[in-house]
Amino acid sequence: MDFLDLARARRSVRKYSDRPVPRDAIERCLRAVRLAPSACNAQPWRFVVVDDPERRRQLARAAFGPLAGFNHFARQAPVLVTVVMERASFASAAGSLLSGKRFSLIDIGIAAAHFCLQAAELGLGTCMLGWFNQRKVKRFLSVPAALKAPLMISLGWPVPDTETGPSSRKTIERVRGYGGY
Ligand SMILES: Cc1cc2nc3c(=O)[nH]c(=O)nc-3n(C[C@H](O)[C@H](O)[C@H](O)COP(=O)(O)O)c2cc1C
């Protein structure tokens, strides 16, 4: 698929069918993650996949409680992926400190985009999820206490959603600047 068409095809999907997602499709998305760029090539991520139905139900219950009510749709997704931010390499951590930028956070965002774009190319739907109970999710997945898990991704076969149209975008004039701000 032409890249711009793929970028257009990827939409946050919030309605999924029960059809299971084959492991080889998930693996393909993870292979795309592996190729993502990162500061100092630190690759500070681990994508924890839960596709076993019972375990996924338990994870969803832990993640999307009353405070994340608007993410209840994610309970229906056949796969939940939790993005764990690994300890950055010394070079990346030093660079972050000196520049005042959280390179690792940028890195996992790019890796997550690779995941979602590869999923879209396979006809799968995803939604990045920033709002969930991180403490409970970490405990459920046995993520080491020192690490953060800032993002989850729901994954599944999309069901046509007649209630919500495509999200709007700023005009190109508002997001570009040639030669200056
Ligand atoms: C870091 C991040 C966190 C997000 N968190 C949520 C979330 O908690 N719940 C949700 O429904 N969508 C979430 N989204 C999806 C955005 O709402 C969505 O990408 C945006 O509205 C644009 O729509 P589109 O993805 O369909 O193009 C998140 C997206 C990103 C990048």
Side-chain angles (χ1 to χ4, degrees), residues 66-169:
L67 284 179
F70 52 90
N71 278 340
H72 274 184
F73 72 88
R75 290 176 175 224
Q76 311 305 325
V79 184
L80 287 173
V81 180
T82 304
V83 184
V84 177
M85 195 160 74
E86 293 285 299
R87 209 178 283 282
S89 63
F90 177 78
S92 174
S96 287
L97 202 67
L98 292 172
S99 67
K101 292 170 209 148
R102 292 289 301 280
F103 286 141
S104 293
L105 212 47
I106 298 172
D107 295 339
I108 65 162
I110 297 169
H114 272 216
F115 186 99
C116 295
L117 285 165
Q118 177 56 79
E121 201 259 342
L122 295 170
L124 282 157
T126 56
C127 187
M128 294 202 200
L129 303 158
W131 195 255
F132 58 90
N133 190 323
Q134 184 179 176
R135 187 180 52 81
K136 285 190 180 173
V137 167
K138 277 180 59 182
R139 195 184 319 137
F140 183 80
L141 298 172
S142 308
V143 175
L147 303 181
K148 291 198 176 351
L151 196 63
M152 293 182 79
I153 303 171
S154 53
L155 173 72
W157 300 104
V159 161
D161 189 348
T162 46
E163 289 152 36
T164 45
S167 54
S168 64
R169 287 298 189 267

